[in-house]
């Protein structure tokens, strides 16, 4: 199993969850909006693990976000640009990132490999839909929730200090390997 994931951390309070997200995933955008309020209140720490699974532009957008001076701020900006257009059923890509995959620099290639490791982790645990949340269960194992859970599900995680019982979600799996390290904490 993967021992290293690249993520962007938002928040420093409350339970830590890992949210696997693609810039072109409408459900990921909904999840981001639900998490944002809890993060700003200091009730949740989210480690966004960028993946590139949905559109060809997903990889260049993820590279762009991870290489930004402030990846967390850039993620918020991209969520507003792309996500808000998804709300209006418009497909938007970021034109200033299209060149990244045309002739990637060595730095771009290193970041692409990091994103491919994130993609590979989901493949290893046989998950092919987004968003995905990994959290610590009551028994100390890691749990997995696949698909959209919304603010109510997040509040439930918080109420139980990120240690949900199996009965709380039909989409849990505790066979996920521990996540040992990451980068881009903010």
């Amino acid at each position: 199993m993967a021992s290293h994931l690249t993520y962007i951390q938002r928040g420093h309070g409350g339970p830590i969850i890992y949210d696997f997200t693609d810039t072109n995933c409408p459900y990921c955008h909904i999840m981001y909006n639900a998490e944002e309020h809890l993060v700003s209140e200091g009730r949740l720490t989210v480690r966004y693990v960028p993946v590139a699974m949905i559109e060809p532009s997903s990889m260049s957008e993820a590279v762009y976000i991870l290489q930004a001076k402030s990846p967390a701020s850039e993620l918020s900006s991209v969520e507003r640009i792309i996500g808000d257009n998804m709300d209006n059923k418009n497909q938007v890509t970021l034109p200033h990132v299209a060149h990244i995959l045309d002739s990637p620099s060595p730095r771009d290639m290193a970041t692409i490999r990091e994103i491919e490791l994130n993609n590979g982790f989901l493949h290893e645990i046989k998950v092919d839909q987004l968003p995905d949340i990994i959290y610590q269960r009551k028994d100390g194992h890691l749990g997995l929730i696949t698909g959209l859970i919304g603010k109510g599900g997040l509040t439930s995680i918080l109420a139980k200090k990120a240690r949900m019982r199996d009965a709380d979600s039909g989409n849990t799996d505790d066979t996920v390997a521990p996540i040992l390290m990451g980068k881009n904490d903010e």
Side-chain angles (χ1 to χ4, degrees), residues 18-99:
Y18 291 80
D19 180 347
F20 290 78
T21 186
D22 184 309
T23 54
N24 291 290
C25 168
Y27 299 113
C28 297
H29 173 65
I30 293 168
M31 183 66 87
Y32 181 89
N33 286 338
E35 293 161 344
E36 188 62 21
H37 180 69
L38 298 168
V39 168
S40 67
E41 290 179 348
R43 296 175 54 204
L44 181 66
T45 298
V46 182
R47 293 180 174 169
Y48 292 98
V49 182
V51 295
M53 299 171 57
I54 299 202
E55 296 288 338
S57 64
S58 296
M59 181 62 80
S60 57
E61 291 163 357
V63 168
Y64 175 77
I65 292 166
L66 286 171
Q67 291 181 358
K69 185 175 183 177
S70 172
S73 294
E74 196 59 45
L75 176 63
S76 291
S77 176
V78 168
E79 280 294 328
R80 280 192 312 276
I81 294 166
I82 294 177
D84 290 348
N85 279 289
M86 281 183 196
D87 291 346
N88 297 321
K89 304 205 185 311
N90 297 325
Q91 184 67 24
V92 172
T93 57
L94 304 174
H96 55 283
V97 303
H99 72 282

Side-chain angles (χ1 to χ4, degrees), residues 113-185:
R113 282 190 293 278
E114 291 173 354
I115 297 163
E116 287 172 344
L117 285 172
N118 291 350
N119 290 350
F121 179 79
L122 287 182
H123 179 74
E124 246 180 272
I125 63 171
K126 298 177 179 25
V127 172
D128 63 357
Q129 67 179 18
L130 294 170
D132 302 300
I133 302 291
I134 293 179
Y135 61 94
Q136 187 172 13
R137 295 164 37 109
K138 181 169 75 174
D139 61 9
H141 291 95
L142 295 180
L144 171 67
I145 300 173
T146 59
L148 182 63
I149 62 170
K151 189 173 180 180
L154 288 171
T155 302
S156 176
I157 289 173
L158 291 174
K160 296 175 184 174
K161 296 183 172 68
R163 296 176 181 157
M164 296 175 64
R165 298 184 316 258
D166 282 339
D168 290 338
S169 172
N171 299 337
T172 61
D173 178 5
D174 56 36
T175 62
V176 187
I179 300 172
L180 303 175
M181 57 193 333
K183 63 181 267 186
N184 292 326
D185 285 357

